[in-house]
Amino acid sequence: MHKGKKYVDSAKTIDRTKLYDTADALSTVISTAKAKFDETIELHVKLGVDSRHADQQVRGAIVLPHGTGKQVRVAVFAKGPKADEALAAGADIVGAEDLMERIQKENFFEFDVVIATPDMMGVVGRLGRVLGPKGLMPNPKAGTVSMDVAKAVQESKAGKIEYRLDKTNIIHCPIGKASFGPEKLQDNFDALMGAIIKAKPAAAKGQYIRSCVVASTMGPGVKVNAAKLMG
């Protein structure tokens, strides 16, 4: 795979054999974010669990202290007073069967988060095949299936992120933008890592955090000393 000059230059500044302290890792990553746009800083955590087993799932949601730096578009499936509440809380799109049809027929995906009241899950369930692969399916664990739609909308807008394992037992999450600077990124990093550590399944054996890497959108990864994170 061909890497651009900026990537190659950035990679030279990183010691691949070294495990960086979090603060050093974040400072290094910010210095490698050289793109013309404000790059997103992402956290990639490999866990010592097996996601194929139900009792070793790691999943949840957290509102990052400083948000993600991204404008979040929220779609809500609700009716009546709940639909009004969602609109008042700042939802971008609110609907019921009409919204389902729009997604099905027009391939409409002008949103980043989907929230639903429990009574609408029958309707939303019909969209499982299109929402599921995009990671947009509402889920009670993530707080996106709720009667308190106003709170769910506000949290999503404030920078609530969902973390969950992929098939290779890695969690990938944004923790902000390069422009946040090291202190805000450190706050977001600590909040997310704290949540992941707290979510450790009882069935997980051996080393829980196998590796932890931070990287900017276009830059190389920097390894964080995971042993120190467990305290």
Side-chain angles (χ1 to χ4, degrees):
M1 199 172 133
H2 176 70
K3 302 285 189 192
K5 183 176 180 306
K6 286 178 183 168
Y7 181 97
V8 173
D9 288 345
S10 294
K12 286 177 188 164
T13 66
I14 296 167
D15 182 349
R16 295 289 177 144
T17 61
K18 181 179 171 184
L19 291 175
Y20 287 75
D21 284 345
T22 312
D24 290 344
L26 292 170
S27 298
T28 305
V29 160
I30 292 167
S31 71
T32 64
K34 296 188 169 90
K36 288 194 170 71
F37 60 93
D38 191 6
E39 292 185 47
T40 295
I41 307 298
E42 291 188 341
L43 175 62
H44 308 277
V45 187
K46 185 168 179 64
L47 297 179
V49 295
D50 187 343
S51 61
R52 290 172 301 181
H53 298 293
D55 63 353
Q56 292 189 42
Q57 284 298 326
V58 177
R59 182 175 187 173
I62 181 173
V63 178
L64 294 175
H66 305 287
T68 60
K70 182 185 172 194
Q71 289 290 330
V72 181
R73 299 166 302 174
V74 180
V76 179
F77 282 89
K79 284 182 169 172
K82 288 292 167 190
D84 297 337
E85 273 178 43
L87 280 170
D92 299 87
I93 304 136
V94 180
E97 285 81 2
D98 55 328
L99 180 53
M100 176 192 73
E101 284 183 16
R102 200 172 164 197
I103 292 168
Q104 280 177 332
K105 293 176 181 169
E106 298 172 30
N107 204 20
F108 175 74
F109 284 104
E110 299 288 309
F111 46 82
D112 309 295
V113 176
V114 180
I115 292 164
T117 52
D119 57 314
M120 293 304 296
M121 284 308 289
V123 172
V124 179
R126 288 182 236 164
L127 295 167
R129 276 197 304 216
V130 289
L131 294 180
K134 291 181 186 288
L136 290 168
M137 198 64 188
N139 177 287
K141 273 192 183 166
T144 44
V145 177
S146 173
M147 283 306 283
D148 193 349
V149 286
K151 182 184 175 198
V153 169
Q154 285 158 356
E155 287 188 342
S156 294
K157 290 279 187 183
K160 184 181 195 175
I161 56 164
E162 190 178 344
Y163 57 87
R164 61 178 169 195
L165 295 167
D166 67 6
K167 288 188 176 70
T168 58
N169 304 313
I170 297 176
I171 289 172
H172 309 271
C173 276
I175 55 168
K177 298 281 187 185
S179 63
F180 279 25
E183 288 84 9
K184 285 184 177 179
L185 286 173
Q186 176 88 51
D187 288 347
N188 281 356
F189 176 95
D190 291 345
L192 179 56
M193 284 304 301
I196 292 170
I197 290 166
K198 207 180 272 181
K200 180 182 178 181
K205 298 285 181 274
Q207 189 182 353
Y208 180 52
I209 296 176
R210 293 282 169 87
S211 69
C212 178
V213 175
V214 285
S216 63
T217 311
M218 310 291 284
V222 180
K223 293 177 188 168
V224 179
N225 189 342
K228 285 194 173 179
L229 302 174
M230 291 300 286

